[in-house]
Amino acid sequence: MSQQPSVILATASYDHAIKFWEAKSGRCYRTIQYPDSQVNRLEITPDKRHLAAAGNPHIRLFDINSNSPQPVRSFDSHTNNVMAVGFQCDGNWMYSGSEDGTVKIWDLRAPGGCQREYESRAAVNTVVLHPNQTELISGDQNGNIRVWDLTANSCSCELVPEVDTAVRSLTVMWDGSLVVAANNHGTCYVWRLLRGNQTMTNFEPLHKLQAHNGYILKCLLSPEFCEPHRYLATASSDHTVKIWNVDGFTLEKTLVINAGCGTAFSQLMAPILLQLHLTRLPGCGPWQVEKK
């Protein structure tokens, strides 16, 4: 295979295909057929060697540097759509969340299936790993947010920002200082994360942001290399991606996706635009923010 691009951009959708793109030219240089199901989520391992594809009800791990269309490993313990997947910072283990109501942990250093499982009692839409690498935070269809303490092997915290309003996306600031939950009503709830007397994380309410008119597809806080600038990006079914300044949560910029493309296109493209745009804010790259 030819030399891997410096930026790995991969997309997947309901068309049963995973595609790799050259970020600068927009050229698709590799396609993997994925006949088993639609792809709900993609995640690249920290060493950028493998790509995890979450489907229904499995997770497949592909070699990014290979021409082989076959996965190098499969994870099959879930019984419904896998909606979240991610990796521990050293790539030693993977976590996942599913509409079967469970959060699972998989040891990538050992063969076999799921090593640990937590019951959420509702369809899990989103899971993120706290930067301390010892807590998972999940959001589910019934509006519950739960913190899973991996050291104590139990749920250490549970909160419900809006009863019976699905939590669609969660994001944690790189230093563990903030967490944002985005829901079906277009609302973002923001908490400060504080350490208590024990090892568990405590949530202190900070802000409630009515970000969109439609349900939110994805929320994302800016990474460490954007410092001292801090931003929150939100993408919605209302065909917009919005960039918010975390200092006061003022709106910095709105990116509009052509409404004629339909909601399905927005669901595919909005998180991609969100990820790309965050790396080009002031302090992060060549794009400039225009005040709305």
Side-chain angles (χ1 to χ4, degrees):
M1 187 175 182
S2 59
Q3 185 179 3
Q4 176 184 301
S6 58
V7 175
I8 301 171
L9 175 60
T11 63
S13 77
Y14 279 73
D15 64 1
H16 298 276
I18 299 170
K19 296 187 177 184
F20 292 85
W21 306 83
E22 291 180 351
K24 290 184 178 180
S25 68
R27 183 181 72 88
C28 177
Y29 65 88
R30 183 186 177 193
T31 299
I32 299 173
Q33 297 303 320
Y34 199 90
D36 297 336
S37 76
Q38 81 281 357
V39 179
N40 301 313
R41 176 81 179 180
L42 294 175
E43 192 70 26
I44 296 170
T45 55
D47 62 8
K48 295 180 172 56
R49 293 178 57 194
H50 295 95
L51 175 75
N56 185 7
H58 43 253
I59 304 167
R60 307 280 194 245
L61 198 65
F62 293 91
D63 188 339
I64 290 175
N65 299 308
S66 169
N67 279 320
S68 172
Q70 300 303 317
V72 296
R73 194 166 174 184
S74 296
F75 306 87
D76 302 307
S77 295
H78 283 296
T79 59
N80 207 328
N81 270 306
V82 182
M83 303 302 293
V85 65
F87 297 93
Q88 179 257 359
C89 65
D90 295 323
N92 292 330
W93 48 267
M94 177 177 73
Y95 61 88
S96 60
S98 168
E99 290 181 346
D100 64 12
T102 65
V103 175
K104 295 179 185 285
I105 293 178
W106 318 77
D107 190 342
L108 300 179
R109 299 164 296 179
C114 170
Q115 274 70 45
R116 202 178 292 187
E117 178 179 305
Y118 301 110
E119 291 284 344
S120 183
R121 302 188 299 277
V124 177
N125 295 325
T126 177
V127 183
V128 292
L129 178 62
H130 191 288
N132 63 22
Q133 306 294 299
T134 63
E135 293 171 305
L136 289 172
I137 308 173
S138 67
D140 67 32
Q141 193 67 19
N142 289 351
N144 303 294
I145 297 172
R146 293 184 174 91
V147 179
W148 306 97
D149 186 329
L150 306 184
T151 303
N153 199 28
S154 64
C155 179
S156 62
C157 179
E158 183 174 345
L159 62 157
V160 185
E162 284 187 45
V163 177
D164 294 328
T165 302
V167 177
R168 303 285 302 222
S169 183
L170 289 163
T171 181
V172 182
M173 187 63 79
W174 65 269
D175 60 359
S177 60
L178 295 175
V179 64
V180 180
N183 70 18
N184 256 7
H185 290 166
T187 308
C188 287
Y189 288 86
V190 187
W191 295 269
R192 285 193 182 94
L193 294 183
L194 306 173
R195 280 296 188 183
N197 294 328
Q198 307 299 319
T199 58
M200 69 179 63
T201 294
N202 296 319
F203 287 64
E204 179 184 88
L206 176 63
H207 193 75
K208 178 181 177 181
L209 175 67
Q210 190 58 49
H212 294 273
N213 296 323
Y215 60 87
I216 295 178
L217 299 161
K218 179 79 172 177
C219 62
L220 186 67
L221 285 163
S222 53
E224 181 178 2
F225 60 77
C226 285
E227 293 292 317
H229 307 279
R230 292 192 167 199
Y231 297 95
L232 168 69
T234 57
S236 169
S237 62
D238 65 9
H239 305 288
T240 64
V241 177
K242 295 183 179 181
I243 311 295
W244 309 85
N245 192 320
V246 171
D247 183 14
F249 292 93
T250 54
L251 181 62
E252 293 280 339
K253 189 175 180 66
T254 299
L255 306 176
V256 179
I257 298 171
N258 186 351
C261 294
T263 302
F265 181 79
S266 298
Q267 289 175 330
L268 171 64
M269 289 305 299
I272 297 172
L273 289 173
L274 181 154
Q275 298 266 6
L276 292 175
H277 193 77
L278 265 184
T279 65
R280 293 166 172 83
L281 289 169
C284 308
W287 290 6
Q288 296 298 314
V289 173
E290 299 171 3
K291 291 288 184 180
K292 183 176 175 64

